[in-house]
Amino acid sequence: MALAEGLVESGTCKLQDITLTKRNAQTLAALASKGFQTNISNADAIVEADTIFICVLPQQLNELLAEIKESIDIDKQLVVSVVTGAHTDVFKEILGEQCRIIRAMPNTAMKVRESMTCLSSANATGEDLNMVQSLFNTMGQSIIIEENMMSAATALCACGIAFFLRTIRAASQGGVEIGFHASDAVKIAAQTALGAAKLLTINKSHPEQEIDKVTSPKGCTIAGLNEMEHQGLSSAMIKGIKLSSNIANNLYTAS
Ligand SMILES: NC(=O)c1ccc[n+]([C@@H]2O[C@H](COP(=O)([O-])OP(=O)(O)OC[C@H]3O[C@@H](n4cnc5c(N)ncnc54)[C@H](OP(=O)(O)O)[C@@H]3O)[C@@H](O)[C@H]2O)c1
């Protein structure tokens, strides 16, 4: 849904150009009332499509592919999958060896056009990749990577949103403890995080260069920062990212 809304809100697609499917007719009706085309049948929904986006959970993928495999035209239609852990071989095996497939790993910031999306592909043409990358670029930034890095991309990029949100929550809780009301604390922490990210993306600098600019000798920043490191800040983030990446890698096979 975030993807469909992002495509519309960025002006890339019109509501009526997107057909959404779901198994639940009630929630599908709610999407139809927003102006999207909807269809309860995946097999019917894909017939007119140039590009088929597959956005189900890993454990729902096999059933979905079984449903569309007879009606897909793999010579004409491009498949884009955001399904975590499902290798392009899975699609080729079920839909046909020649299937043009692009895997995308975006994050929920698509909705505010600040996603980071990692893309990899099998059988896709340069034109396919340009088209899909342009779509995702309207909702943030993207890079093309090797498929063997997609689980790492899941951890850093898709799960990463939650990791950074939790650090903002932690900062705001610290803010409340030192005297701010909760709403002010979240606003201050979120805008400060946004500023930190923009310093890196606009200055194209390394975090440590920016940190050096705000840590004066014997000052309060270095004292706070070192205390956080003594408590395992960087180590916790690195360990969490490694664990997420390993789990992402096994999500489809484990389903
Ligand atoms: N959320 C993220 O930030 C994010 C980022 C990158 C990648 N991903 C990946 O994207 C995929 C979807 O994630 P999500 O968070 O959007 O999950 P979700 O909220 O559970 O959405 C899955 C959707 O698929 C629908 N669905 C399931 N089987 C279907 C079928 N056979 N036909 C039609 N619709 C079907 C479900 O609706 P019904 O039950 O009504 O059918 C539901 O709306 C996952 O593989 C996830 O790992 C997620």
Side-chain angles (χ1 to χ4, degrees):
M1 193 54 210
L3 177 57
E5 287 180 337
L7 288 171
V8 172
E9 281 166 25
S10 63
T12 316
C13 297
K14 297 194 185 88
L15 276 167
Q16 59 270 27
D17 293 339
I18 300 176
T19 301
L20 299 176
T21 69
K22 265 176 174 289
R23 295 164 304 178
N24 181 324
Q26 240 178 349
T27 50
L28 199 56
L31 299 175
S33 70
K34 289 185 178 179
F36 289 104
Q37 301 291 315
T38 58
N39 201 318
I40 200 85
S41 158
N42 290 304
D44 293 345
I46 67 168
V47 171
E48 299 287 317
D50 298 317
T51 308
I52 301 163
F53 283 86
I54 299 186
C55 310
V56 296
L57 297 173
Q59 61 269 32
Q60 298 166 331
L61 181 61
N62 287 351
E63 188 186 317
L64 176 82
L65 292 180
E67 217 188 309
I68 64 171
K69 82 176 200 189
E70 299 305 333
S71 48
I72 192 169
D73 182 348
I74 58 168
D75 294 328
K76 293 198 184 125
Q77 295 174 311
L78 172 68
V79 175
V80 180
S81 164
V82 301
V83 183
T84 301
H87 200 274
T88 52
D89 286 349
V90 173
F91 296 86
K92 289 196 283 179
E93 204 173 297
I94 299 174
L95 301 177
E97 200 49 39
Q98 302 311 316
C99 178
R100 286 148 51 226
I101 164 89
I102 295 179
R103 284 180 66 186
M105 192 45 66
N107 62 42
T108 49
M110 279 182 298
K111 186 91 173 63
V112 291
R113 293 195 228 167
E114 288 291 356
S115 177
M116 180 68 221
T117 302
C118 296
L119 300 164
S120 67
S121 66
N123 296 334
T125 63
E127 205 180 321
D128 293 333
L129 271 170
N130 282 341
M131 187 273 288
V132 171
Q133 189 165 25
S134 307
L135 284 183
F136 282 103
N137 282 348
T138 63
M139 296 176 283
Q141 299 195 29
S142 66
I143 54 168
I144 295 173
I145 61 174
E146 293 297 325
E147 182 158 21
N148 63 11
M149 290 301 291
M150 284 305 277
S151 295
T154 305
L156 202 53
C157 176
C159 311
I161 282 281
F163 302 153
F164 289 111
L165 287 170
R166 184 55 67 82
T167 62
I168 291 171
R169 189 194 77 163
S172 67
Q173 285 175 322
V176 172
E177 194 159 338
I178 57 175
F180 287 107
H181 286 294
S183 58
D184 285 341
V186 171
K187 187 174 181 180
I188 294 167
Q191 178 58 32
T192 304
L194 186 67
K198 283 202 166 174
L199 281 171
L200 299 182
T201 53
I202 292 172
N203 293 349
K204 299 196 188 322
S205 52
H206 186 278
E208 217 51 41
Q209 283 173 279
E210 300 297 340
I211 288 172
D212 279 349
K213 293 177 194 166
V214 292
T215 46
S216 40
K218 291 192 172 181
C220 52
T221 309
I222 193 66
L225 204 53
N226 283 346
E227 179 60 22
M228 289 178 203
E229 289 301 348
H230 291 318
Q231 300 295 334
L233 176 72
S234 294
S235 174
M237 183 70 101
I238 293 164
K239 283 184 172 177
I241 287 172
K242 282 171 71 178
L243 182 63
S244 283
S245 176
N246 285 337
I247 291 178
N249 200 31
N250 293 312
L251 269 184
Y252 176 74
T253 47
S255 64

